[in-house]
Amino acid sequence: MTAQLLLSELQNLIQESKRKSPELRSAAEKSLEELKSLPATSETQFAADLSRRANFPSPFIIACGTRNAKLIAIAVLCLQRLIVAKCLPRDRLKEVLDALREATSQGLDVQLKILQALPSLLHNYADQLNGELLGAALAVCSILQSSKSNVVSNTSAATFQQLVVSIYDKAVAEDEDDTQSPQVGEVPAGNEVIPVGSAALDAYRGQRPQFLRMGSLSQTFGLELIDSILANHADIFLSHKEQAHILRSRAMPLLIKLLSEKHNFPTTVRVCRILYIVLRRHIEILPSQCEICFGLLTHMLDIEAAAPWKRAICMEIYRGLYADPALLRKIYSLFDAKEGKKMVVRDNVAAFVRIATEKPTVIGLGSQSTFPAGPSTSKDTSGDQVVMEAGGVGGMIGGMVSTTETTSAGISVELSTVRVSCLDQLDKPDPPYLPESYIYSLVLTCMSSFSEGLAKFILPLTIPQDGRGKRKGKQALAVEGDLQLPPPSDADDQLQKQNQTSQSNRKGTQNSQIALNPLELETSRNFNEVKICAAMIESCWPAFLATCSTFLYAALDNDFYHSLVRSFQRFAHVAGLLRLSTPRDAFLTTLGKAAVPPNLFSTMASSAPSTPTVESPTSHSNQKGILSVDSIVSQSTHASSESRRPLALGSGAPFLSTRNLLCLRALLNLGIALGPTLGSAWSILFDTLHQAEYIINTAGRYSNRHSGNPNSGGDVGSKDEQNSLNGTYGGEVAAVYGAANRMFESTADFPDASFLDVLKALTKSLEDVRALEDEPPNEQHEKIALSPTSTLSPRSSKQSHRRISSISGVTVVPTSHLGDDHFALTKLGILAAMNTSRLTGDDIAATGWQLLVDNLISITSNADLNAAVRIKAAEVFHEIINNLVVFTVAQYDASQDGVQDRLLDALQAEIAPLLGQEGDRPASARSADIEVHRMALDTLKSILERSTETLVKGWETVFDITRTVFRGGVTTTSDISNEDAVSAASCRSTKLLRPAFSCIQLICSDFLSTLPNVCILKLLDTLYQFSSQPDDLNISLTTLAMFWDTSDFIQKGSDSFVFEEEIFAVDSESATKKAVANENNEVSTAALWVVLLRRLRRVTKDYRAEVRNGATQTLLRTVDAQGEFLVPSAWGLSLKFVIFQMLEDTVRQLDSIDNEDQSSKVDEVKSWTETLIIGFNGVAELLTDYLAVISQGSDFPQLWDHLMRLLSRSLGKGYNDLTAAGFTCLSQILSSITGSMNIAEELIETAWDLWMEAQPLDGSEKPSQKNGNQKALIAYSQTFRELYRLIEARMTKSRVENALNALFAAVTQPDSSGYSFDADSLSPLQAQVFESLKLIRTNIPGVPSIFIVKAAELVALPFDIDPPEPGNRKQTFIALSKACIGLLETLILDNLQDEEIYTSGSLRMALDSLSIPITLKYSFNREHKAPAIWKLATTSSLAILKPALPLLTTSSIPEREHQRLWKRIVKIASGIAKADVAELSEAKSATSRKSSISSDEEFDISAFRELHGLIIPGLGAPLIPDKTRRSYTESLFYTSLIHPPDAKDLPQTSTEVLAHLYEPRMGRTSDNPPVRRVKMSYVCLDELFALVARHDGSTERVRLAQAASPFLILRVGISLRAFIADQPLRGLMPLPYTQRVELLHLLRSTQSLECEPRAIPDAPGVSSETKKHLHRLFPLVSRATRVAARDVEMLEELGKIMDAIGDEMGVS
């Protein structure tokens, strides 16, 4: 590519020089030929070949000497290409440079090509380009720099600078290669002479340069050139003495002169840049000159000493210097640290103070830091600025800041910084526009860099080098971070990392670490540097503090404000680590003021209400302030969503801003970092925290008021207020939470001495509170008058003013507003929580335990203190104890027992002052006493819950504490002399019951196995007190269950008991105590068991039914559980002295009530009755289960008699429920008696007498009874069954009769309140009675007859009572009647051979009872389950009569009784045949009724035919009256009527049956429907024909035929009369089908009947044997024949009858 360019340009050059310059043309042609002669190879080879052709550049050099611009342009282009391609012969360099110099006068393009060639020339020919050649090259640049073209001038200046720098690069390379350029002379340098080159020699001489033969350079360019040299090769001046000498003697004087004079911006900038490099890199070789420079720079910072832009340049220099901590320490060591030297660093920092205060309005200085005013788009103003400006109408902090302050400019990244610093603006001919606040932003940056440099150097040196310190080393190195809010900053975490610890298993000072003091590390290699840092702090801290303090109240954006706070933080941190207490405390104090501004605090205190709201004890449950460990998590989570909400709650509501909280957080971080070394300075942190917490809580109250929350009141700890605070402060407060919590966590690693410093700082405020409370109100007001806020309204004498401990400048206000007692108490709790392991140490004084406990108890027991304070102290105290319990349990070993005793003793010591002089204490103090007492009990419960098996000592103390809830409740067991001494003490307050009882619950559930017997005795006494206390029913009931648990534990303690009668006696407490202490475990546990029974027995007399009943049940269960281990004698003692006495007490109580007006004590009677019922039930279970053992005792008869007396007295009271329980008890006891028990008959007879005497048959109700007597009657029946089993062999007729009467009376009682529906199944009572009846033996003479009578009465019961009204639950006895039908059948069939059942009328009465349901049938329409009662009666009747009828003729039954029996039999037969279908229940559907009637009809037909076969012909016996037979045949007549006739057609009572047989009646055309049971009618009709028909001619048959014949003739006649009267009226209409069928059946049966000859008398004038009935019917048949002319079949049947009559009469 180079060859082509040269070829083309040579050709152009030849063409242009044809006529103008032959010499040039000739040279060009030669060069062209040389170019063409070169082989076509690579570019590199081409360059090498061409560089060996010395004459090749000649045409170009010649062309540059011409004045032809075109030729010069071509020549310069080719020369530039040859230089770049390294094709230029080295021996032609001088000619080329001369040619280029001659061409500098040409146009812009040529000049630029020359400038492009020079750098390549220096680069490609560096070895050859030196000496004069180098000077020539620089001269070319110098000539071009004077060009009027800015492009050329600037480019040449840059090229010149590049060439100069390249020269220094070459010098560096020579130093590295240990080579040296040619030297032209020697110059003195101190005490020696050194060789130098041409340029250096010119510099030394200070005359006209011989080496650089060129015109003078511009001032700005020369300064830039020096700047470039120093910036790129500063080290050369340190290693080359000649260079240092030139810098010292030539450059620095010039720079100082230029700096001190007034020059334009470009010159000043360049001078300052050079000075900045010199101050940073060459201060050690130029100390005097630098000292002068520092003085000038510091002087020019004054507002009147220099222009603003010049001041800004000076500050930019200092910004760079402060950014290099090592340089700053070097400056201090070179100047400030040496005597006679200028105090450079101190003076500079002092100058910052002047700068900070020179223009307050520019930085927005005010009473509080604000945001810069003016248009802004930064993220700061979009969030936090809105928060700040929402503080009130007039200012940022609730109106505290004036309007002028809010309109100030301020300092911000956007408004107070520049994109390019002044030192970097070399292209500006004039000073740039600078924000007026720019210089202040630079001051802030310097302050930040100053503190950061100190921190980064000192902090790593404070880390201990042991294993634990190594773990923390990396954390300490990361000291700094962002403090931006929100969210919480990294600096909070980083600054406290060096002290971040966890609760470890440590005691006392084990593993405690304090940050090392670097000033004590004299052997350290950095010791001198450390001393310099300490000296810097001592020297500069006042000015540093003053500067930062000023800016703390300026208008800063977030970035600058956070940086400022970090500067404070770092400086104070380093001062603290170096143990420089004065600057440390000063910075802490200033941060405290910034966190809580004095004006804001004064306003808040003065605006607080003079009389605080009285707070309830529960309102302090959340009174842990902003440092609550419990609330940090919940509040910090809420903070993320609320972090941008304004802090202002309304006009006139002052409070902390986000920046106040930022300062507070920085202060807390310093507490974390410097904790072990703070000593008395802890008061600064606590005072600030106290005031901040007060303001935050007050802000919450304002929030609630402005939100209109009516329930918020003034309670700082309310839930609404906490929510308000969360929403108001958001992430800012959450960050403070975290920092405060970490600060207290860090105390866990403090040595004991350091921890005591913290503890004393907090307890001191408590001591001040108590001392001021004891002062007279006047003295208190005098103290308040001394404060600026003394204009506050005075409080009452009970709420006198108190002071808060203060630091310098902090306003003193009454504690009534600040609540320093609450603050200190809260922080004590947190402090103790973080030092739990320390407080378990053995040395209670060294660890702070004694100091802590004494202070807290003195507050909780002080009646003169505010109740809320005492309660808060109690909360803290108990929380500390709980934490210690958790720790001791987790780290339990034998050595922890002492800690447990210590904690229990502390609780007892807290309660003890509260127990005395209750009446002398005011009501408010008494209320607080109760609350503190309650909290102590809750803590005791917590101890028990957490201790589990680790609690092995202190049980006496535990019981003493729990019994303090009762007046006199701490009486020891040794003081008990009789049973009355263990009475229930009155409760001090109902609020104390539940907590104390919870402790007892835990003991009974988890700790019984760890209690000694003496403590169990104490436990039993305590249980009795809780069970009998009248204030809480639930506690009393629950205590009874705990009695059971304790009993179960006692029983497991021994397999058997050894009893002595004396321990059962009422006044046996001393004997009992002695027995409990017996070494024999069987005796000891027996005594405890007896004590438990006695305590329970006393509870059974409690006036509350629930407690009394529960105690009764528990006592009985307790005895039952131990029953298998009791011997007969023990059982006897237990029954006699405990159980029966318990029943006796209850019966006596009922007796006393019975003697009074029961109407006024209905409920009382009921409750005591229930108790006695429970007692009887329990006794029944006991005796049932263990009667075999009990009956073996010698005193069993006496026990039995005692029980019978108790039952008799109870049953005689007439209470149904009690009667039921008494008989149930007796029944169960009797059921357990077996033959092997050998119980005397007299004891059973006693029970029988009791059963007979105490019949529960009185249906009247006493006022105290609401239930019916069904249960009593059931139990009564059950008892009979058990008694009958035992005395069955001794039963007599009279006993059976009495028993039957009693059972019958029981089942027929009119009391129906307890009845259930008994139509389908037996009621419980009926079932019991029925089962009892089935047990009775009938092999006793006389018993069957009376038994059958009673059974018959039971069968008839449903029909003897009125039907119940709808909704009435009256008994129906249907199911019982159905059951008794079967029983009656069995009784009769089993005793048919017993003539007494016939002669006594028992059988008659039985048949009479059975006939009732048969006769009623459908008329008894009460619903009941199948089979129907009449069907059962029918079946049983047939079953009885079938074997009984044959016996009637053989038995010597009286005639009258015989007739009565047949009368009942006929009644049964008639009942079977009849059925009033119209009475059938309408509830059934038509189909169901039809099906039921049909099936019932078939059943009755079958039964009737069977019964008819049994009684015929026996019914015709002569002993049976004709009336009975007529009744039977008449029944058949009426049942055989298929179509009901008119009443006139039926026989009348006063006339003969056939008296109106031939009388005509009125005809009718309406259809007469048949009866529903047609089949039964036909059966009865056929039976009627059968009775009249001729059989064997026996007397019985004749009597039956005679009785049936009139009804048969009338039956046929009625149908013929109806046909005769109705058929003519029908005309052509046929006879209804059913009537026609009936009539045809009658005609055929009549025609075919052969009647008994003696059954019907002969008709007058007619003689016949078997057709006499036709003669009686002839008139009707004759008339019917005339009517039936159109009915052929009917006429034919009538004709047959007429023929038969004719045959009888002899007419054919």
Side-chain angles (χ1 to χ4, degrees), residues 250-268:
R250 303 304 299 271
M252 287 304 296
L254 174 63
L255 295 174
I256 293 171
K257 179 177 179 295
L258 292 176
L259 181 64
S260 60
E261 296 173 351
K262 292 184 179 180
H263 290 278
N264 58 15
F265 177 76
T267 301
T268 305

Side-chain angles (χ1 to χ4, degrees), residues 995-1241:
F997 180 68
S998 298
C999 298
I1000 297 300
Q1001 281 183 301
L1002 275 177
I1003 293 173
C1004 290
S1005 62
D1006 299 340
F1007 295 99
L1008 286 177
S1009 59
T1010 63
L1011 295 178
N1013 285 349
V1014 174
C1015 290
I1016 293 179
L1017 184 59
K1018 207 168 207 179
L1019 171 63
L1020 294 175
D1021 295 338
T1022 306
L1023 290 178
Y1024 169 72
Q1025 288 180 303
F1026 277 104
S1027 63
S1028 59
Q1029 53 78 30
D1031 299 297
D1032 194 319
L1033 177 62
N1034 290 333
I1035 288 179
S1036 298
L1037 297 177
T1038 309
T1039 307
L1040 298 177
M1042 294 160 62
F1043 266 115
W1044 165 252
D1045 294 336
T1046 308
S1047 169
D1048 185 60
F1049 171 74
I1050 294 173
Q1051 293 165 13
K1052 294 178 180 178
S1054 178
D1055 295 335
S1056 62
F1057 289 164
V1058 177
F1059 294 99
E1060 296 179 2
E1061 186 171 352
E1062 62 177 359
I1063 66 175
F1064 279 93
V1066 175
D1067 56 349
S1068 63
E1069 287 294 338
S1070 59
T1072 301
K1073 180 178 178 296
K1074 182 179 179 181
V1076 169
N1078 195 304
E1079 295 181 357
N1080 187 338
N1081 188 50
E1082 295 180 352
V1083 175
S1084 178
T1085 53
L1088 288 175
W1089 190 70
V1090 172
V1091 171
L1092 184 143
L1093 295 182
R1094 282 212 310 267
R1095 298 292 180 268
L1096 281 173
R1097 183 201 150 197
R1098 294 198 71 242
V1099 180
T1100 61
K1101 295 188 288 184
D1102 195 281
Y1103 72 95
R1104 295 164 297 179
E1106 298 88 345
V1107 178
R1108 186 172 62 243
N1109 296 342
T1112 302
Q1113 292 173 332
T1114 304
L1115 188 149
L1116 295 169
R1117 285 178 59 202
T1118 300
V1119 177
D1120 183 29
Q1122 190 63 20
E1124 60 181 318
F1125 303 110
L1126 298 179
V1127 296
S1129 60
W1131 267 112
L1133 293 173
S1134 300
L1135 291 171
K1136 177 181 178 181
F1137 290 103
V1138 179
I1139 298 177
F1140 287 170
Q1141 285 299 321
M1142 175 189 69
L1143 297 177
E1144 192 76 39
D1145 294 340
T1146 309
V1147 173
R1148 276 199 298 268
Q1149 185 65 30
L1150 279 174
D1151 291 340
S1152 65
I1153 298 175
D1154 288 341
N1155 295 331
E1156 302 174 8
D1157 183 11
Q1158 288 193 17
S1159 60
S1160 62
K1161 296 189 175 183
V1162 173
D1163 294 337
E1164 187 176 359
V1165 170
K1166 182 178 179 180
S1167 66
W1168 282 98
T1169 301
E1170 290 175 355
T1171 303
L1172 191 54
I1173 290 172
I1174 294 172
F1176 280 137
N1177 292 340
V1179 169
E1181 293 180 3
L1182 288 176
L1183 295 181
T1184 300
D1185 295 338
Y1186 303 105
L1187 187 61
V1189 179
I1190 298 173
S1191 62
Q1192 296 176 15
S1194 59
D1195 57 348
F1196 179 71
Q1198 291 79 12
L1199 294 174
W1200 184 268
D1201 291 340
H1202 192 175
L1203 178 61
M1204 292 302 109
R1205 290 195 302 272
L1206 289 171
L1207 288 172
S1208 178
R1209 291 171 60 187
S1210 302
L1211 296 174
K1213 295 184 178 300
Y1215 302 126
N1216 291 330
D1217 291 342
L1218 183 57
T1219 302
F1223 278 116
T1224 300
C1225 174
L1226 181 58
S1227 173
Q1228 291 181 0
I1229 295 172
L1230 293 173
S1231 66
S1232 64
I1233 298 177
T1234 61
S1236 61
M1237 292 183 184
N1238 196 23
I1239 295 178
E1241 294 180 358

Side-chain angles (χ1 to χ4, degrees), residues 649 698-709 712 720-721 724-725 728:
L649 305 176
T698 304
R701 285 194 291 269
Y702 274 112
S703 175
N704 287 330
R705 292 169 187 167
H706 284 279
S707 64
N709 186 352
S712 63
D720 291 336
E721 180 176 320
S724 174
L725 290 177
T728 301

Side-chain angles (χ1 to χ4, degrees), residues 290-361:
C290 290
E291 184 176 4
I292 296 173
C293 293
F294 279 125
L296 288 173
L297 291 173
T298 302
H299 171 70
M300 284 189 294
L301 292 178
D302 292 340
I303 190 171
E304 298 177 356
W309 59 266
K310 197 169 186 179
R311 298 175 67 208
I313 293 174
C314 295
M315 280 305 307
E316 288 179 354
I317 293 175
Y318 278 117
R319 177 179 62 183
L321 297 178
Y322 278 93
D324 189 345
L327 175 61
L328 193 62
R329 291 195 300 273
K330 182 183 293 184
I331 293 172
Y332 188 86
S333 64
L334 291 175
F335 303 105
D336 297 66
K338 293 183 179 180
E339 295 183 4
K341 291 290 186 177
K342 183 182 292 290
M343 306 296 289
V344 173
V345 178
R346 187 191 67 181
D347 292 346
N348 180 245
V349 178
F352 293 164
V353 178
R354 295 191 295 273
I355 295 175
T357 57
E358 63 188 14
K359 289 185 178 181
T361 57

Side-chain angles (χ1 to χ4, degrees), residues 462-766:
T462 63
I463 306 301
Q465 296 304 313
D466 59 4
R468 190 162 176 255
K470 291 178 182 178
R471 289 198 301 272
K472 296 163 63 176
K474 292 183 179 180
Q475 299 174 350
L477 290 175
V479 177
E480 299 303 323
D482 294 333
L483 278 174
Q484 298 182 7
L485 279 175
S489 71
D490 297 335
D492 296 332
D493 299 328
Q494 294 171 345
L495 187 61
Q496 56 83 31
K497 283 182 179 179
Q498 63 175 332
N499 288 302
Q500 185 181 26
T501 59
S502 60
Q503 285 286 351
S504 58
N505 299 333
R506 54 175 291 278
K507 291 187 177 182
T509 61
Q510 294 179 4
N511 296 328
S512 298
Q513 296 285 347
I514 300 179
L516 300 177
N517 183 0
L519 289 174
E520 298 176 355
L521 305 177
E522 298 181 2
T523 59
S524 173
R525 58 186 177 86
N526 296 315
F527 181 67
N528 291 329
E529 294 286 322
V530 172
K531 289 197 298 182
I532 291 174
C533 290
M536 287 175 60
I537 294 174
E538 289 282 9
S539 175
C540 300
W541 76 262
F544 190 95
L545 178 61
T547 304
C548 293
S549 298
T550 302
F551 285 110
L552 277 176
Y553 299 96
L556 307 178
D557 67 355
N558 273 346
D559 291 335
F560 280 111
Y561 195 83
H562 294 170
S563 176
L564 177 62
V565 174
R566 283 198 299 270
S567 301
F568 251 85
Q569 196 176 36
R570 298 178 189 123
F571 202 96
H573 189 194
V574 174
L577 293 176
L578 296 175
R579 310 304 192 268
L580 304 176
S581 59
T582 301
R584 177 200 66 191
D585 292 351
F587 275 79
L588 292 177
T589 301
T590 305
L591 265 182
K593 291 181 181 180
V596 183
N599 58 346
L600 170 62
F601 184 67
S602 300
T603 302
M604 182 69 77
S606 62
S607 63
S610 59
T611 303
T613 305
V614 178
E615 297 171 293
S616 64
T618 57
S619 69
H620 297 277
S621 59
N622 292 326
Q623 282 277 2
K624 295 188 177 182
I626 64 172
L627 302 182
S628 171
V629 176
D630 299 334
S631 64
I632 286 175
V633 176
S634 62
Q635 299 194 30
S636 62
T637 55
H638 181 78
S640 61
S641 62
E642 299 290 344
S643 61
R644 292 294 182 182
R645 290 186 57 179
L647 298 186
L649 305 176
S651 179
F655 51 89
L656 299 178
S657 68
T658 55
R659 296 191 169 176
N660 298 135
L661 296 176
L662 178 65
C663 295
L664 178 59
R665 204 167 76 209
L667 185 65
L668 296 175
N669 288 336
L670 288 173
I672 296 171
L674 302 176
T677 64
L678 283 177
S680 61
W682 276 105
S683 60
I684 301 174
L685 276 72
F686 290 145
D687 287 344
T688 305
L689 276 177
H690 185 190
Q691 296 168 8
E693 180 177 329
Y694 165 71
I695 294 175
I696 290 176
N697 290 339
T698 304
R701 285 194 291 269
Y702 274 112
S703 175
N704 287 330
R705 292 169 187 167
H706 284 279
S707 64
N709 186 352
N711 299 322
S712 63
D715 184 7
V716 179
S718 67
K719 182 178 179 181
D720 291 336
E721 180 176 320
Q722 293 298 328
N723 292 337
S724 174
L725 290 177
N726 290 342
T728 301
Y729 289 90
E732 295 81 359
V733 175
V736 173
Y737 291 157
N741 188 43
R742 290 191 297 271
M743 182 182 72
F744 280 93
E745 285 179 354
S746 67
T747 62
D749 282 332
F750 288 8
D752 287 341
S754 299
F755 174 75
L756 282 177
D757 289 337
V758 183
L759 190 60
K760 289 175 181 178
L762 287 174
T763 56
K764 184 178 183 300
S765 63
L766 295 178

Side-chain angles (χ1 to χ4, degrees), residues 24 185 210 443-444 824 915 1039 1075 1185 1205 1261 1270 1301 1338 1343 1380 1422 1438 1446 1535:
L24 176 60
Q210 297 298 321
V443 172
L444 289 172
L915 303 181
T1039 307
D1185 295 338
R1205 290 195 302 272
E1261 289 289 334
Q1270 293 301 296
N1301 290 333
T1338 58
V1343 170
C1380 289
R1422 300 178 195 173
L1438 293 175
T1535 306

Side-chain angles (χ1 to χ4, degrees), residues 130-143:
N130 50 42
E132 293 182 358
L133 293 179
L134 180 59
L138 295 174
V140 173
C141 290
S142 177
I143 293 171

